[in-house]
Amino acid sequence: MSSLILSFLSLLLLFSPSLSLDLQIQHVNRRLPSSPLDSALFLARSDSSRLSLLTASTKNVPLASGQQILNTPSYVVRASIGSPPQSLLLSLDTSSDAAWVPCSPCNTCPSSTLFQPSTSTSYSSLQCASSYCPFFTGASCADPATATSTPCSYTQPFGDSTFTATLASETLKLGSDVIQNYPFGCVNSFTGSTANLPKQGLLGLGRGPLSLLSQTGSLYNGVFSYCLPSYKSYYFSGSLRLGRLGQPAGIRYTPLLSNPHRPSLYYVNLTGISVGKVNVAVPLNSFNFDAMTGQGTVVDSGTVITRFTSLVYAALRDEFRRQVNAPNGYSSLGAFDTCFSTNDVVQTPPVTFHMTGLDLTLPVENTLIHSSATPLACLAMAEAPGNVNQVVNVIANLQQQNLRVVIDVAQSRVGFGRENCN
């Protein structure tokens, strides 16, 4: 891209006793361009694949942007698997349930850092007869006579790739919490592009039966929160907080909506969008929730920039442009179609997402993406790619940065509050 493109504001069990756990988060992408706008465009290349996927003491566990470490458009947490423990940086994914890690041997995995099952005394391959196996394979054992002797193997699409894995159980350690017999996919091969895949594995924080919350039961009581630092953060300054204790008091919540056809996703009831003091005029029923078609609005940690269906985004963009009134007009840059010179515009209106019981007014740094080399800024939202998503609006991780997002599955609600975790 041209020099105008720049980087972003340069992603029953046995437990140790714990009621709440706080993990640090970092975004990992070692090869990102050097300026804010370039980074946004670079990371958002994976959004199309991501959107197709979408159609009690307190301890700290590190969470960081994948930008600086693993060259991946996701946020990662420090974890360890096995006995003795093997350290991995697992990508945080609120729209997936099952955990998986690349295992040795693997010649097609996206990283040379692989889990070594042969050196772990707590590793156990699960058989087809395991109660977990149908969740991964989608079917019962082909031959019941060999169900107790045949490993549970499965193939799963992920983004632009597909992987083959063996279902296993292992000891998972998050901070000081030890979770024994945790089921996960031990991946031995990938096909397709692995450029935007989690490099060292994935920790599923969805709301389905195989997610961390479901598997840990009373340990975390169905509650977690996270604060995502900006992509330019080099440190594990963000955090994943597991458990009810230590969650912020006084923040506002909106109800979670349940979709039995897409049980992993965190749907919320988005009722409107305003730019400044103007409610954006969208077609009737634009924000309706429909479990059958998947229509609605999802809060997601893995999508990079917030995407709206075409008519909603067009209305938002047009109202934003009208109020900004850039003297020299607007240009497009990659996914962004509302870029303007900051020499011409001193101030821009705030954007607010209206949800049931909650109005989330975005900080300016979550609304605009700036160039660090030229006086250029872009509205940091875009239209959902029509070839992969025509019904789902996604509140993505750029718009969630430096917010504490609390997911309370037990009480079916999600909350947002300001928190600086850069």
Side-chain angles (χ1 to χ4, degrees):
M1 283 231 179
S2 72
S3 61
L4 292 177
I5 305 178
L6 301 148
S7 72
F8 260 115
L9 299 172
S10 10
L11 250 167
L12 292 177
L13 301 175
L14 299 176
F15 311 109
S16 66
S18 174
L19 295 177
S20 172
L21 183 65
D22 211 351
L23 301 168
Q24 293 176 341
I25 300 179
Q26 183 168 326
H27 191 276
V28 287
N29 201 321
R30 193 176 287 156
R31 300 184 184 86
L32 272 185
S34 59
S35 100
L37 195 48
D38 259 350
S39 270
L41 294 167
F42 181 86
L43 292 171
R45 295 182 308 170
S46 65
D47 275 357
S48 292
S49 298
R50 179 70 187 181
L51 289 165
S52 67
L53 176 66
L54 297 178
T55 333
S57 59
T58 304
K59 309 178 200 74
N60 286 320
V61 183
L63 185 154
S65 164
Q67 166 179 334
Q68 308 299 337
I69 303 174
L70 297 179
N71 190 34
T72 182
S74 60
Y75 285 85
V76 296
V77 293
R78 285 188 178 126
S80 63
I81 297 178
S83 304
Q86 301 177 38
S87 296
L88 293 170
L89 296 175
L90 300 182
S91 292
L92 178 76
D93 193 337
T94 59
S95 294
S96 293
D97 291 337
W100 56 265
V101 298
C103 293
S104 177
C106 182
N107 296 323
T108 54
C109 286
S111 171
S112 60
T113 301
L114 305 174
F115 174 63
Q116 308 287 335
S118 61
T119 65
S120 174
T121 59
S122 52
Y123 177 85
S124 177
S125 176
L126 297 182
Q127 307 308 306
C128 185
S130 165
S131 60
Y132 293 116
C133 193
F135 288 106
F136 290 82
T137 62
S140 57
C141 299
D143 184 359
T146 61
T148 58
S149 59
T150 303
C152 179
S153 298
Y154 67 99
T155 300
Q156 178 178 316
F158 194 94
D160 296 324
S161 182
T162 299
F163 64 76
T164 300
T166 298
L167 183 60
S169 68
E170 186 53 286
T171 298
L172 171 66
K173 186 177 181 182
L174 297 170
S176 60
D177 282 353
V178 177
I179 306 167
Q180 297 181 1
N181 302 318
Y182 195 80
F184 74 103
C186 195
V187 180
N188 292 118
S189 69
F190 287 89
T191 57
S193 173
T194 60
N196 294 313
L197 287 181
K199 296 298 186 286
Q200 296 182 17
L202 178 143
L203 182 65
L205 287 171
R207 59 196 301 196
L210 298 172
S211 71
L212 178 69
L213 291 187
S214 296
Q215 293 300 315
T216 52
S218 61
L219 180 63
Y220 301 129
N221 292 307
V223 180
F224 72 94
S225 71
Y226 55 83
C227 184
L228 306 178
S230 74
Y231 301 132
K232 66 182 179 181
S233 175
Y234 284 80
Y235 305 103
F236 280 79
S237 57
S239 67
L240 170 66
R241 187 172 298 158
L242 296 162
R244 189 170 298 282
L245 291 186
Q247 302 300 351
I251 69 169
R252 300 290 298 274
Y253 287 89
T254 187
L256 286 170
L257 306 178
S258 179
N259 185 343
H261 302 288
R262 300 181 183 183
S264 301
L265 304 184
Y266 293 107
Y267 278 91
V268 295
N269 187 28
L270 182 68
T271 59
I273 304 171
S274 61
V275 177
K277 296 182 179 180
V278 178
N279 289 322
V280 175
V282 299
L284 188 66
N285 301 326
S286 292
F287 298 120
N288 279 13
F289 172 66
D290 187 328
M292 291 302 297
T293 65
Q295 179 179 341
T297 301
V298 171
V299 177
D300 180 46
S301 67
T303 306
V304 175
I305 57 177
T306 288
R307 306 275 186 153
F308 292 106
T309 53
S310 58
L311 295 179
V312 171
Y313 177 71
L316 166 63
R317 175 200 62 206
D318 292 349
E319 180 58 32
F320 185 85
R321 287 181 176 183
R322 186 188 69 80
Q323 293 189 36
V324 170
N325 193 27
N328 291 310
Y330 303 92
S331 59
S332 296
L333 205 55
F336 305 121
D337 65 2
T338 301
C339 302
F340 54 91
S341 170
T342 53
N343 287 336
D344 300 332
V345 177
V346 177
Q347 190 173 7
T348 57
V351 173
T352 301
F353 299 155
H354 302 287
M355 293 170 255
T356 301
L358 169 69
D359 293 330
L360 177 61
T361 299
L362 299 177
V364 65
E365 61 268 23
N366 294 18
T367 304
L368 297 177
I369 189 71
H370 288 266
S371 162
S372 60
T374 61
L376 187 75
C378 301
L379 176 64
M381 303 172 202
E383 178 183 341
N387 60 323
V388 295
N389 169 40
Q390 298 181 14
V391 295
V392 179
N393 303 303
V394 182
I395 300 175
N397 64 41
L398 193 156
Q399 279 62 48
Q400 297 178 51
Q401 290 175 1
N402 289 301
L403 297 174
R404 173 62 59 178
V405 181
V406 183
I407 308 284
D408 186 344
V409 175
Q411 298 189 43
S412 193
R413 61 182 186 169
V414 57
F416 300 87
R418 291 297 300 272
E419 180 176 327
N420 186 355
C421 58
N422 278 347

